[in-house]
Amino acid sequence: MSTRIWMKWAALAAAGCMALTGGEGKWTPQQVLELDPAWLKKEGLALPVSRLWDPRRGTGLLAAAVNIGGCSAGFVSASGLILTNHHCLFGVLQEHSRPQRDLITNGFLARTREEELPSKTTRVTVPRKFTDVTKQVEAAAPAGGDDLARNKAMDAKQKALVAECEKTAGARCRVAAFDGGLQYVLIESFELSDIRLVYAPPRAIGEYGGEIDNWMWPRHTGDFAMARAYKDGQPYVPEFYFPIARDGVKTGDFVMVLGYPGRTVRALTADEMADQRDYFYSPRATVYGEWIRLMEEATKDSPAGQIAVAATLKSLNNAAKNGQGQLAGLKRGRTIEKQKAHEDLVMTWAAGRPEFAAAVEAKRDLDRRAAARRKMAMRDFLYQAIQNGPLALKQATTLVRLASERVKPDMERDTDYMERELPRLRDRMEREQKSFYRPADEAVFTDWMTRFRAQNATCSDNFVVKTAYEQTRVTDLQERLKMFGESTEQLRARHDPMLELAFRLEPELRAFQTATKTHDGAVARLRPAWRKAVIAQAGKPVAPDANSTLRVSFAHVKGYAPRDGVIYTPQTTLAGMLEKHTGEEPFAVPPAVLNAAARMDASKMPLNFLADADTTGGNSGSPVVNGRGELVGLNFDRVWENVANDFGYNPEVARNVNVDVRFLLWLLRDVEKAEGLLGELGAR
Ligand code: ASP
């Protein structure tokens, strides 16, 4: 955001003449300092804003919210204890599960530090410095260069900034673009790579209600788990952590949700939004839906197969249902129509102001480009879906790409294949073996191939899936790890059918990548011009779209009306969990929980609550704190009517779903007898 625009907002805010809507806005730490302190106080913030974020040091309580493998999490003790969602640590449970020792089903509690379970791949990043690098990134773009050249030059500059930043010992850096390139910020974090599982409830609690209740309210899910971060073999001592609140929350209370929202698309034009709907969310709902069916079918008689596909199935289910929710929400909320009306308004406003002539032209250009990309959109979707689909193909295409990237100088490689990424990539390739179950993979592959052939008959005509799975060594862990270090020539010499297919696909995947980069180069030029007009016309702070960077949303505990004649209260209790109990998955409360619940008035034990926070995917595990910065809960989901808030915030239905910290403490105390942990949380 340009400083000039911000100063104007700050002035408006100070004059008290701008209204912010409810919980709308995933604010950056810098923006928090620019919001009206009187407004924040009125909302319920009891701490000075400088406690949340100290601009001099570039840190504050907000930095107790950390990123854990694409989810959010919060430090909750001085000894590196981290609280996040059960579904965010699911991979670690899977890593340590066997049919004879099924931690997914039974849960896990480390009674001593020695019993904590290390994870091969989980990493935590803690932010420590944010620097505006907009000028440097923009200056890198060659004057008069085409869009591909522009993208490459800006990309190279960002890589150089990251490399410079990572010269500091232990630093992990990235450049994040805000508002499509209106602002670029270099974010320095440090990474903790020794993360050990401390506690996870049984799946029947952590995922109570399963796919039936996912994205739904009323909810009764204990979606939380704990890990501990270690540094040099010792528990890590965080600079900030969230103490547990003594009192819980009630309707109307102020809460803040801190975390790392992944991606929203509110800054897109209405035409671009329609493309997202038709070529991203819609195929996700149908294609992933079919893959889920195929995987379930292929594993129905195999407990080992079910463990293998558990994590993949979970994320496909989540994405498919999310896709359906986006489609339903867009229709119900008429979001794209509203965006269209709003941009017409901005276009008219800008048309009368010569200084925004570039904005008007940029908006038209964005729409023209969206129309041009539509022709290839379904094929592009299938290229991207390789990452979420058949592992054999994902691995083979990755190995082929890796071999061709590794011969280039580091700074010229695709970002994912730079030296700094290779240890991660290798870990991932190793870990994915746990998720491989051939009958399921083969079924999904066959489906992908059928769809792909319908779009493109050229490169896969004589490929026989069954034979390829019989002959390939890509799916053999030891062989694959050997392939990880091999050159293109060595890979070719293997005459492995899966690699051969990947070699034939490579030129297409490269062409797709170049088209995407060219498009991105154009968008980096056009979107900022358009957004300047949108923001200036709004005359108040506008939070940028989510981009997996640290944000905070200010909200209140609040119910909502999902449809005519129905009102939802914002809190559920243990009694509701018992009411849903049928003894059949996913509504089978474990006996230990039933016994503990029988000794008390379950209607007095809060379980989940709603707030009107502005959240999205990636906010899972976000600490939810009260106005004093004390932990009252843990975000884990949104309600069905609010899934499409990725396209726009609708105060009527914008509700996020949280685990109440009181339930967590009850479970640890009355069911698990986890005295040590309770002591550490200051809640014995
Ligand atoms: N369940 C989501 C996540 O995994 C949160 C959301 O989409 O609201 O991040």
Side-chain angles (χ1 to χ4, degrees):
M1 200 64 43
S2 91
T3 332
R4 207 163 44 79
I5 296 176
W6 270 115
M7 280 164 55
K8 196 174 135 209
W9 284 340
L12 283 166
C17 51
M18 104 227 140
L20 295 172
T21 326
E24 178 167 8
K26 301 170 180 72
W27 305 103
T28 67
Q30 186 57 33
Q31 280 185 312
V32 171
L33 302 174
E34 289 153 352
L35 293 173
D36 180 5
W39 175 75
L40 283 169
K41 196 168 170 197
K42 196 173 107 272
E43 291 293 291
L45 181 66
L47 298 171
V49 180
S50 58
R51 280 279 302 285
L52 294 184
W53 202 252
D54 172 354
R56 262 179 322 106
R57 295 182 53 225
T59 190
L61 189 62
L62 296 185
V66 295
N67 186 312
I68 184 162
C71 277
S72 305
F75 281 118
V76 287
S77 89
S79 310
L81 198 62
I82 293 170
L83 182 61
T84 184
N85 288 149
H86 176 266
H87 78 264
C88 297
L89 291 179
F90 194 80
V92 190
L93 288 167
Q94 186 194 24
E95 192 178 322
H96 291 277
S97 285
R98 314 273 173 278
Q100 318 76 285
R101 187 181 183 239
D102 185 348
L103 302 185
I104 298 178
T105 304
N106 304 324
F108 173 79
L109 169 64
R111 296 217 175 258
T112 62
R113 298 234 164 120
E114 291 67 41
E115 282 175 19
E116 295 171 0
L117 295 175
S119 147
K120 276 211 179 66
T121 48
T122 309
R123 290 182 165 87
V124 162
T125 47
V126 187
R128 67 177 172 202
K129 194 167 167 199
F130 293 67
T131 314
D132 189 319
V133 291
T134 313
K135 285 207 177 73
Q136 287 104 300
V137 174
E138 277 176 353
D146 65 20
D147 287 326
L148 184 58
R150 182 183 172 82
N151 175 271
K152 285 190 171 157
M154 291 170 86
D155 190 48
K157 182 70 202 176
Q158 293 177 45
K159 282 177 179 160
L161 287 165
V162 167
E164 185 58 35
C165 173
E166 291 189 347
K167 282 186 183 153
T168 310
R172 181 87 188 157
C173 307
R174 66 174 279 219
V175 174
F178 292 79
D179 256 312
L182 197 53
Q183 190 189 26
Y184 293 88
V185 175
L186 176 66
I187 302 173
E188 180 186 321
S189 306
F190 67 98
E191 185 174 85
L192 296 160
S193 54
D194 184 354
I195 307 297
R196 307 183 194 170
L197 183 69
V198 173
Y199 174 71
R203 187 176 200 170
I205 295 295
E207 212 182 287
Y208 192 69
E211 282 311 319
I212 299 174
D213 273 8
N214 195 12
W215 305 109
M216 295 295 175
W217 186 259
R219 197 69 168 272
H220 301 89
T221 311
D223 192 350
F224 76 97
M226 288 183 205
R228 189 184 309 283
Y230 282 79
K231 190 162 182 275
D232 305 323
Q234 295 303 316
Y236 171 72
V237 182
E239 184 177 358
F240 301 95
Y241 69 89
F242 303 108
I244 308 288
R246 292 209 170 274
D247 325 307
V249 282
K250 55 182 185 325
T251 306
D253 279 0
F254 172 75
V255 290
M256 299 181 269
V257 180
L258 288 61
Y260 295 79
R263 174 179 178 264
T264 55
V265 291
R266 294 180 190 171
L268 298 189
T269 69
D271 282 7
E272 291 175 308
M273 283 184 171
D275 287 353
Q276 283 289 309
R277 177 192 60 201
D278 300 340
Y279 302 108
F280 184 71
Y281 290 110
S282 173
R284 272 175 114 158
T286 47
V287 176
Y288 290 1
E290 177 60 8
W291 291 358
I292 292 161
R293 198 189 62 71
L294 290 168
M295 292 174 90
E296 283 174 350
E297 171 71 22
T299 54
K300 69 177 187 310
D301 299 321
S302 162
Q306 285 161 17
I307 288 183
V309 302
T312 313
L313 210 47
K314 200 166 153 61
S315 69
L316 284 177
N317 265 312
N318 195 49
K321 198 164 174 189
N322 173 288
Q324 290 162 10
Q326 302 273 3
L327 299 178
L330 286 176
K331 201 160 161 198
R332 180 181 192 273
R334 304 190 63 257
T335 320
I336 298 182
E337 292 80 350
K338 285 183 194 156
Q339 181 79 338
K340 178 95 193 78
H342 180 241
E343 69 193 26
D344 286 350
L345 187 96
V346 178
M347 283 294 264
T348 311
W349 179 90
R353 291 172 168 76
E355 69 275 29
F356 288 106
V360 173
E361 194 31 56
K363 151 82 171 66
R364 294 201 180 113
D365 205 350
L366 285 168
D367 286 343
R368 275 194 296 273
R369 282 165 196 276
R373 275 169 72 87
R374 225 161 278 157
K375 284 185 233 90
M376 297 289 286
M378 197 54 213
R379 216 163 99 186
D380 292 353
F381 173 80
L382 289 169
Y383 289 139
Q384 291 172 57
I386 293 176
Q387 294 307 315
N388 300 322
L391 278 174
L393 184 62
K394 179 180 175 187
Q395 309 262 8
T397 49
T398 304
L399 289 164
V400 165
R401 177 62 61 92
L402 170 63
S404 78
E405 287 296 306
R406 205 181 350 226
V407 292
K408 298 180 185 169
D410 199 37
M411 296 300 264
E412 287 168 31
R413 295 185 198 170
D414 287 353
T415 318
D416 293 347
Y417 297 89
M418 290 173 73
E419 276 317 308
R420 66 198 281 276
E421 295 298 335
L422 295 189
R424 279 182 179 65
L425 187 60
R426 195 178 182 286
D427 284 353
R428 197 196 80 200
M429 293 202 116
E430 189 174 345
R431 182 195 53 201
E432 280 177 352
Q433 194 65 21
K434 287 247 164 230
S435 300
F436 181 72
Y437 179 68
R438 183 177 148 185
D441 211 60
E442 202 175 313
V444 171
F445 190 110
T446 307
D447 184 78
W448 181 87
M449 190 58 114
T450 310
R451 291 176 196 275
F452 188 65
R453 279 188 175 136
Q455 298 295 324
N456 168 353
T458 52
C459 87
S460 54
D461 26 19
N462 51 15
F463 188 84
V464 182
V465 176
K466 197 166 173 28
T467 322
Y469 271 88
E470 268 154 22
Q471 295 174 358
T472 188
R473 308 296 302 276
V474 167
T475 54
D476 173 317
L477 177 61
Q478 292 317 319
E479 278 303 310
R480 185 164 73 245
L481 293 180
K482 265 194 231 153
M483 292 175 190
F484 191 85
E486 291 181 6
S487 66
T488 299
E489 293 67 34
Q490 286 169 309
L491 291 179
R492 277 199 191 279
R494 283 177 172 267
H495 299 293
D496 184 296
M498 216 45 98
L499 291 172
E500 280 175 356
L501 176 66
F503 276 116
R504 276 185 285 157
L505 282 172
E506 176 68 357
E508 286 191 40
L509 293 172
R510 285 278 184 201
F512 166 59
Q513 185 186 41
T514 305
T516 305
K517 283 186 176 172
T518 309
H519 181 75
D520 291 350
V523 169
R525 184 164 61 71
L526 302 169
R527 182 95 55 218
W530 170 235
R531 291 298 294 169
K532 272 185 198 150
V534 173
I535 293 167
Q537 191 275 339
K540 62 179 181 182
V542 178
D545 265 321
N547 58 358
S548 299
T549 60
L550 178 58
R551 305 291 179 96
V552 56
S553 167
F554 302 106
H556 290 89
V557 176
K558 209 171 184 176
Y560 75 111
R563 55 188 175 275
D564 191 31
V566 179
I567 291 179
Y568 282 156
T569 60
Q571 285 181 296
T572 61
T573 66
L574 181 58
M577 179 184 249
L578 301 179
E579 229 167 67
K580 284 182 179 172
H581 172 72
T582 58
E584 299 277 324
E585 264 184 47
F587 297 103
V589 182
V593 177
L594 289 176
N595 290 340
R599 297 195 294 270
M600 62 188 281
D601 180 354
S603 69
K604 297 252 161 28
M605 178 49 60
L607 212 178
N608 290 160
F609 67 89
L610 292 176
D612 62 351
D614 194 349
T615 59
T616 186
N619 267 122
S620 275
S622 288
V624 182
V625 302
N626 62 21
R628 293 183 298 278
E630 301 156 345
L631 192 98
V632 292
L634 194 59
N635 174 74
F636 71 100
D637 210 0
R638 281 166 288 164
V639 299
W640 184 248
E641 295 75 16
N642 185 36
V643 174
N645 83 336
D646 289 352
F647 289 80
Y649 183 90
N650 176 357
E652 309 270 289
V653 295
R655 299 294 178 272
N656 67 311
V657 188
N658 311 285
V659 182
D660 194 305
V661 77
R662 288 169 288 183
F663 174 75
L664 177 159
L665 297 175
W666 174 77
L667 199 73
L668 290 178
R669 190 177 49 238
D670 286 23
V671 179
E672 308 286 5
K673 320 273 182 240
E675 293 302 321
L677 265 184
L678 287 165
E680 186 171 350
L681 292 169
R684 193 149 32 199

